[in-house]
Amino acid sequence: RNKGSAVVAPILLEGRVWGELYATRLSGQLAFTEEDCQLAEVLSAVLASGIAQAERFSQVEHLVYSDPLTGLANRRAVDLALERALVEYQVSGDPVSVVMADVNGLKFANDNEGHQAGDRLIRSCADAISQATGNVARALAGRIGGDEFVVVGIGEPIDADEIEGRLCSSLAEHAERPASWNPSL
């Protein structure tokens, strides 16, 4: 491949090889020197530092904008999505849809079956709303309160009846729930 010399330096992240910095010179060019190798090691350390910082930022962002129990967007993320959607509506005229779901019966499950059962039900509701909205382009599903869920959509109007039907079907089929739970929306 007409390469005369190469220098390779590992990019180490948390003691593991994340990738490598790889540079070559063509045949006939000066070969890499020991100083070039040291520079490559320094550059790979700088890259590793930047990558580690980006990953930490991503983790912090996930903590700030995700509901810890369900993994759905939290109220802060939903509020920001709605603000952006309304700005986009003012600029482009794309419709904004908001579908709210307040699942009744979760307090009954918590009180009668325990908080672990209630948490399982909330996660089941989150899974169901994710399944119900997963194919809706530009939609964000979130949990904004104990048993309150929301979907914010931009562009194509969201059919609330369809989302409700899909959510109820998904809950009926997949929800891990105590026998005493009788949910409604």
Side-chain angles (χ1 to χ4, degrees), residues 102-113 117-126 128 147 149 167-168 170-185:
D102 185 346
V103 182
N104 298 316
L106 290 176
K107 181 175 177 1
F108 178 83
N110 260 348
D111 292 346
N112 294 295
E113 306 288 339
D119 287 352
R120 281 194 309 273
L121 291 173
I122 290 169
R123 283 192 293 270
S124 293
C125 290
D147 62 354
F149 298 87
L167 178 57
C168 289
S170 185
L171 281 172
E173 290 176 26
H174 303 292
E176 195 178 309
R177 60 194 180 276
S180 60
W181 185 50
N182 185 16
S184 63
L185 295 177

Side-chain angles (χ1 to χ4, degrees), residues 34-53:
E34 183 63 32
E35 288 177 349
D36 294 326
C37 292
Q38 291 172 355
L39 177 62
E41 288 176 358
V42 169
L43 288 174
S44 72
V46 170
L47 287 170
S49 175
I51 292 165
Q53 186 171 353

Side-chain angles (χ1 to χ4, degrees), residues 4 27-28 55 71 106 109 114 163-166 169 178:
S27 294
E55 286 185 357
L106 290 176
I163 295 294
E164 178 189 10
R166 292 167 94 185
S169 294

